[in-house]
Amino acid sequence: MPRLGVGIGWRPEIDLTVERLPGVDFVEVLAENIRPGPLPESLAVLRARGVPVVAHAVSLSLGGAEPVDRTRVEHLATVAAAVDAPLVSEHVAFTRAGGLDSGHLLPVPRTRDALNVLADNVKRAQADLPVPLALENIAAVFDWPDNELTEGQFLAELTDRTGCLLLVDVANLYANAVNVGTAPATFLDELPLERLAYVHVAGGVTHDGIYHDTHAHAVPNEVLDVLAGLCARTDPPGVLLERDDDYPADADLAAEVAAIRAVVERGR
């Protein structure tokens, strides 16, 4: 697994911030936001410095019952090649069914039948990608009935059947602990952490007992505690801060990156 360090999600709204932010070892771009052709200047600057860029997708709908859209996979592959990505990532989720697009990442039923479909779709995507694929646990506000596997067991079997890597989102894990009762320690204990590619950290907010993974608020201490639990089990190859809206001052973003690095270094 490549050593990525501590990073931040690159977004056009904070491109100059990311360029000058201290302590950024790598960045992640949303593949759907990158068009073929010349890279945005800020990304080109980062690449010229040797900063690794990971391509992250949100629309492959790998957990859907329909075949994977090869056009979307090919776009992810094109972006990966353009930024010389060491790996790409997506979610264990579906976003489309029956010709409709949810506009949101929806959880996959954790049944054997759903796992079969997901594994087949992952293999099809992998065949068209130039680099390894890491898959991410999502935040959910509901759980399907009649699950046959825990989320940790489901992901462990998925990695075994496909050879994929794991992207563990500790903010999503905290959200699921609040919203659907997932036990973070059990989840982490069930994962094959030797397959861990990197980690996502993000902020959110609680309203009426529901935790919303907004990517628009400061990272709460509870999410950093879940990160610490992960770091007590393994030394993650990379940990990345996601921020997608209501961007704070540069100093505040730098402080969040530094806080993440402190947790990682304490775990070593």
Side-chain angles (χ1 to χ4, degrees):
M1 232 69 68
R3 299 299 303 181
L4 297 169
V6 175
I8 188 170
W10 182 92
R11 304 292 185 265
E13 297 88 346
I14 53 171
D15 56 353
L16 297 181
T17 294
V18 173
E19 273 188 46
R20 60 184 175 233
L21 206 63
V24 173
D25 301 317
F26 78 109
V27 300
E28 177 191 79
V29 297
L30 293 176
E32 288 81 359
N33 291 347
I34 302 295
R35 297 291 175 260
L39 290 175
E41 183 178 353
S42 175
L43 274 180
V45 168
L46 292 168
R47 286 296 305 123
R49 289 183 194 163
V51 176
V53 180
V54 174
H56 184 57
V58 298
S59 65
L60 297 190
S61 196
L62 294 173
E66 300 168 359
V68 173
D69 184 341
R70 291 195 63 181
T71 300
R72 294 174 188 266
V73 178
E74 289 167 0
H75 177 76
L76 176 58
T78 299
V79 173
V83 300
D84 194 23
L87 70 153
V88 298
S89 55
E90 239 291 1
H91 302 81
V92 177
F94 71 96
T95 60
R96 291 183 299 282
L100 299 176
D101 197 311
S102 69
H104 192 71
L105 298 169
L106 297 172
V108 177
R110 295 192 302 275
T111 63
R112 294 288 177 187
D113 287 344
L115 180 58
N116 290 338
V117 172
L118 173 63
D120 286 345
N121 283 341
V122 168
K123 290 175 184 176
R124 290 190 186 100
Q126 288 171 316
D128 290 328
L129 292 170
V131 291
L133 171 65
L135 296 176
E136 177 183 356
N137 58 300
I138 70 165
V141 294
F142 71 93
D143 214 355
W144 294 102
D146 303 322
N147 284 324
E148 298 169 1
L149 299 163
T150 66
E151 188 175 14
Q153 291 169 340
F154 192 80
L155 293 177
E157 188 160 335
L158 178 64
T159 63
D160 185 59
R161 291 174 59 170
T162 66
C164 70
L165 302 176
L166 290 173
L167 165 51
V168 172
D169 190 314
V170 293
N172 291 350
L173 183 51
Y174 174 69
N176 291 347
V178 174
N179 297 338
V180 297
T182 299
T186 300
F187 174 88
L188 294 173
D189 286 342
E190 290 176 341
L191 290 183
L193 291 176
E194 69 277 6
R195 304 295 300 169
L196 181 64
Y198 66 114
V199 177
H200 273 172
V201 181
V205 65
T206 301
H207 282 306
D208 297 327
I210 300 295
Y211 184 81
H212 299 271
D213 178 47
T214 63
H215 295 192
H217 295 79
V219 177
N221 288 332
E222 293 86 350
V223 170
L224 292 178
D225 288 343
V226 179
L227 175 62
L230 172 60
C231 292
R233 291 166 169 80
T234 190
D235 183 9
V239 184
L240 182 126
L241 172 66
E242 293 185 289
R243 186 82 180 212
D244 292 304
D245 201 1
D246 197 15
Y247 300 100
D250 290 7
D252 293 332
L253 280 177
E256 289 204 286
V257 172
I260 290 168
R261 186 180 299 277
V263 172
V264 173
E265 292 181 348
R266 281 199 302 270
R268 289 176 176 162

